[in-house]
């Protein structure tokens, strides 16, 4: 079954509003990664969080890793049209003969100018 | 450093035909991953290869297969194409084994008529 749940699936905001997407894992994660896919593009790595309770910032983007290392969030302050795209979280899970990244379903963000 | 490359960019086939998609990872990366992304949806994991071996396989029928060559490039084959196979097929590579940051190629858009 789905090991990484991401909500919401879609989010529409007015430019200037804030946006948050949440990622929840069924198990404790050693790390969590976030990716962004622009419309018509491919996913691009944004950041990796490793420590319990870790918070990292990239300009208007704030990434958090939960204390229990089972959830994470991405918050964008004062969205801009350049923030449009789908944001994916990904965590390592055991599969086959090794551990690999499993991606959440993604949150598709649209920003109305 | 050259990124992940995929060919062809677009591929049009008819139902029942076979499709071959190719991927060249970033130099030094030994792991290659294949994903299927139907329009507007998330990343569905297909296959993971590392050091020439298949490490993990997603929930896809056996007509989806692939291989990794000694130079770490990879091929995805889809036999007996069905209309619902129409999607963007993304290849990614990583430096580490399974759980490291993934670098995605631009994808191959497969259309089945």
């Amino acid at each position: 079954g789905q090991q990484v749940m991401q909500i919401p699936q879609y989010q529409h905001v007015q430019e200037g509003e804030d946006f948050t997407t949440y990622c929840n894992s069924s198990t404790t994660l050693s790390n969590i990664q976030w990716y962004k896919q622009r419309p018509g593009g491919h996913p691009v790595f944004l950041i990796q969080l490793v420590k319990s309770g870790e918070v990292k910032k990239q300009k208007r983007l704030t990434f958090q890793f939960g204390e229990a290392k089972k959830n994470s969030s991405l918050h964008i302050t004062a969205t801009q049209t350049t923030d449009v795209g789908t944001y994916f979280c990904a965590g390592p899970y055991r599969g086959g003969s090794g551990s690999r990244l499993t991606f959440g379903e993604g949150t598709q963000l649209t920003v109305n100018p | 450093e050259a990124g992940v490359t995929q060919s062809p960019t677009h591929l049009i086939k008819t139902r029942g035909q076979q499709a071959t998609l190719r991927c060249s990872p970033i130099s030094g990366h030994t792991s290659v991953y294949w994903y299927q992304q139907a329009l507007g949806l998330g990343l569905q994991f297909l296959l993971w290869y590392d050091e020439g071996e298949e490490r993990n396989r997603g929930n896809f029928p056996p007509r989806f297969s692939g291989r990794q060559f000694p130079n770490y490039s990879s091929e995805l084959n889809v036999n007996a194409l069905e209309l619902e196979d129409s999607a963007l097929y993304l290849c990614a590579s990583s430096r580490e084994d399974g759980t490291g940051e993934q670098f995605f190629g631009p994808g191959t858009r497969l259309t089945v008529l």
Side-chain angles (χ1 to χ4, degrees), chain A residues 33 35 37 97 99-101, chain B residues 37 45 55-56 98-99 102 105:
Chain A
Q33 299 176 23
Y35 292 75
Q37 183 177 20
S97 60
S99 293
R100 62 167 180 87
L101 279 183
Chain B
Q37 187 174 40
F45 169 73
R55 292 297 189 97
N56 195 205
T99 62
Q102 292 189 10

Side-chain angles (χ1 to χ4, degrees), chain B residues 53-71:
Chain B
E53 301 284 330
E54 182 180 300
R55 292 297 189 97
N56 195 205
R57 182 183 178 84
N59 294 326
F60 281 83
R63 57 191 187 81
F64 286 84
S65 64
R67 54 181 172 167
Q68 186 178 35
F69 300 98
N71 66 353

Side-chain angles (χ1 to χ4, degrees), chain A residues 73-94:
Chain A
S73 66
L74 158 58
H75 179 83
I76 302 179
T77 303
T79 55
Q80 300 175 358
T81 54
T82 53
D83 296 324
V84 165
T86 301
Y87 293 85
F88 295 96
C89 63
Y93 290 91
R94 191 83 189 162

Side-chain angles (χ1 to χ4, degrees), chain A residues 12-42:
Chain A
H12 308 276
V13 300
Q14 287 294 130
E15 191 171 19
E17 291 182 339
D18 292 356
F19 158 77
T20 305
T21 173
Y22 300 90
C23 186
N24 294 294
S25 168
S26 55
T27 57
T28 301
L29 298 170
S30 58
N31 70 77
I32 195 155
Q33 299 176 23
W34 286 91
Y35 292 75
K36 176 184 178 181
Q37 183 177 20
R38 294 180 186 274
H42 57 273

Side-chain angles (χ1 to χ4, degrees), chain B residues 33-84:
Chain B
Y33 313 82
W34 286 96
Y35 297 90
Q36 182 197 64
Q37 187 174 40
L39 195 60
L41 298 179
L43 302 168
Q44 302 304 313
F45 169 73
L46 272 163
L47 290 159
W48 167 27
Y49 292 97
D50 184 63
E51 298 282 2
E53 301 284 330
E54 182 180 300
R55 292 297 189 97
N56 195 205
R57 182 183 178 84
N59 294 326
F60 281 83
R63 57 191 187 81
F64 286 84
S65 64
R67 54 181 172 167
Q68 186 178 35
F69 300 98
N71 66 353
Y72 303 118
S73 66
S74 179
E75 206 172 77
L76 173 69
N77 295 292
V78 189
N79 293 319
L81 285 165
E82 300 178 1
L83 296 179
E84 51 265 35

